[in-house]
Amino acid sequence: MLLIKNGVIVDPVKHQEIQADIFIQNGRIKKIDKKLDEKKLAEEFGNSHREQRGEEKGIQVLDASGKKIGPGLVDVHVHFRDPGFTHKEDILTGAKAAAKGGFTTVVLMANTRPAVDNEETLAYVLNKGKETEIHVETCGTITKGLKGRELTDMQALKSMGAVGFTDDGIPLMNKVLLEQAMLTAKELGVPVSLHEEDPAFIENNGVNAGKAAAYFGIGGSGRKAEISLIERDVELALKTGASLNVQHISTKEGVEIVRKGKKRGDNIHAEATPHHFTLTEEAVIEKGTMAKMNPPLREEEDRMAIIEGLKDGTIDLIATDHAPHAKEEKDKPLTEAPSGIIGLETAFGLAVTNLVLPGHLTLTELFEKMSLNPAKLYHLPAGTIEEGAEADLIIFDEKEQYVFREEDICSKSHNTPFIGATLQGKIDATIVKGAIVYQAN
């Protein structure tokens, strides 16, 4: 049993902040009230079924004075590289990084080796996820072997626990096949998440075909690569009725296409990463491979369009695209190094610093994007703070500044441009099913 006292609850459902205590028993929120008395709670709940459960009578008290309490964060776009690339990250280390970042639920991408295109690999991922202290879910791939030629048995994968489908990392160029996948996903009631980059418009991936590409003397990645596929896939989603998640949107034109699509159907969704609403291609010039990612960082107008999309609800999700790579891989020349950065441990701080503090989003709106909406899209029991709900929570101080230091990173990989950055919005504790799984020193 756990009693969290004196905190302010940030409620993204009711869009309010209220001071209240939270009492947790058997992993669920039992009571929420302005003032809960520890002795009365012990008398009321401490003895009931205590013997058969082997519980102690005492209640652990966590004082959240001066802090706020939000629903645990939900990240629906994460790479834990397991199986196949565990020198970069594995499910256990990834989960520790997630807990430190305030994430109580993550949805893994399926581009592992072997890919999650079969029941055996899916079972491996889900079973290893159960060894962690957070909730680890996973997508299955849309096509076998991520080759874009033949659909997986989506129904079998869904029945075994896949919460969605994606070939993330590889764009689906076969329009007929994608339409079939969307029709199946619609029947199964799960989302399709798509990496929108047409290789026909990319000479060198990971770097914007603009100022950054010119600086390095390369062709780069044109914005049309994203625009063309978002246009196509929004139309396919509206035609089939499938829930579409446009992943890691990076262009102002892409934001506008989604905006118009959402007016035509409520099945169109889009996610933004913290790096795309924080940085521009200038970061690639300064940081090199540490700021190389797909899709690339673009221009200031694109960054501001993404923020505007978050403000008006066009972009309804914030996801990290946590993409670990080993040091020796990122130390390669720019055109040879892999794209991607880690993001679980900086996401909340970057969001508070760049969205809440400047007044773009309120805290309740931020928790909509980082908890409630992702949970809704993937039909996960998360994102709320209410009696009866599972006790997945974070305790944080949105006013506290901290420096993101390399020596504090929990992820196995350290590929991020944010080392040394001063952020605001520190996670003090992460609670999953009523247990404290991370607590700041």
Side-chain angles (χ1 to χ4, degrees), residues 105-263:
T105 300
V106 295
V107 177
L108 304 186
M109 298 295 98
N111 57 339
T112 51
R113 186 181 295 167
V116 187
D117 62 358
N118 63 87
E119 296 175 47
E120 182 180 356
T121 306
L122 174 61
Y124 165 82
V125 171
L126 292 177
N127 287 334
K128 195 165 181 181
K130 290 174 183 176
E131 298 175 20
T132 74
E133 294 180 308
I134 67 169
H135 304 284
V136 176
E137 308 287 350
T138 189
C139 287
T141 65
I142 296 172
T143 66
K144 292 183 179 180
L146 298 163
K147 294 179 179 178
R149 294 196 291 263
E150 183 182 359
L151 293 181
T152 56
D153 188 341
M154 295 170 68
Q155 185 167 357
L157 293 174
K158 163 66 165 55
S159 67
M160 274 197 65
V163 296
F165 291 92
T166 180
D167 275 10
D168 178 50
I170 302 175
L172 265 165
M173 300 310 300
N174 188 322
K175 182 178 178 181
V176 174
L177 194 69
L178 179 55
E179 183 172 343
Q180 293 173 351
M182 284 189 175
L183 287 169
T184 302
K186 166 67 173 174
E187 291 177 7
L188 296 174
V190 294
V192 171
S193 298
L194 297 178
H195 183 119
E196 308 288 39
E197 282 195 296
D198 186 338
F201 300 98
I202 300 173
E203 186 175 337
N204 308 100
N205 70 8
V207 179
N208 184 48
K211 184 177 181 180
Y215 177 85
F216 291 105
I218 60 176
S221 175
R223 61 201 306 111
K224 186 66 175 175
E226 176 174 279
I227 297 164
S228 60
L229 288 193
I230 294 179
E231 286 177 331
R232 181 198 70 176
D233 295 342
V234 166
E235 291 303 318
L236 280 178
L238 290 170
K239 178 182 177 181
T240 60
S243 289
L244 168 66
N245 175 25
V246 175
Q247 295 181 300
H248 43 42
I249 200 162
S250 72
T251 60
K252 61 183 179 181
E253 295 91 346
V255 175
E256 186 58 28
I257 295 164
V258 171
R259 180 176 287 115
K260 290 177 179 177
K262 289 176 83 79
K263 292 177 181 177

Side-chain angles (χ1 to χ4, degrees), residues 1-4 23 38 57-62 434-436 439:
M1 294 183 288
L2 177 66
L3 176 61
I4 305 172
F23 175 62
E38 182 184 350
K57 186 176 181 179
I59 296 173
Q60 181 182 1
V61 178
L62 194 57
I436 301 170
Q439 196 162 16

Side-chain angles (χ1 to χ4, degrees), residues 223 251-252 280 298-306:
R223 61 201 306 111
T251 60
K252 61 183 179 181
T280 68
R298 301 202 188 268
E299 301 174 23
E300 178 65 10
E301 285 187 2
D302 299 299
R303 188 183 78 87
M304 291 309 300
I306 290 168

Side-chain angles (χ1 to χ4, degrees), residues 279 283-284 287-293 297 325-327 330-331 334 337-338 340-342 406 414-419:
L279 302 175
V284 189
K287 302 284 187 177
T289 64
M290 286 297 176
K292 178 185 178 183
M293 68 272 298
L297 300 170
H325 292 295
K327 183 180 186 299
K330 278 292 193 177
D331 282 345
L334 185 69
I341 67 172
I342 58 171
E406 185 168 14
H414 292 188
N415 52 306
T416 171
F418 295 114
I419 290 171

Side-chain angles (χ1 to χ4, degrees), residues 24 43 63 78 131 170 185 239 368 407:
I24 299 164
E43 291 171 2
D63 187 1
V78 168
E131 298 175 20
I170 302 175
K239 178 182 177 181
E368 265 192 325
E407 57 265 37

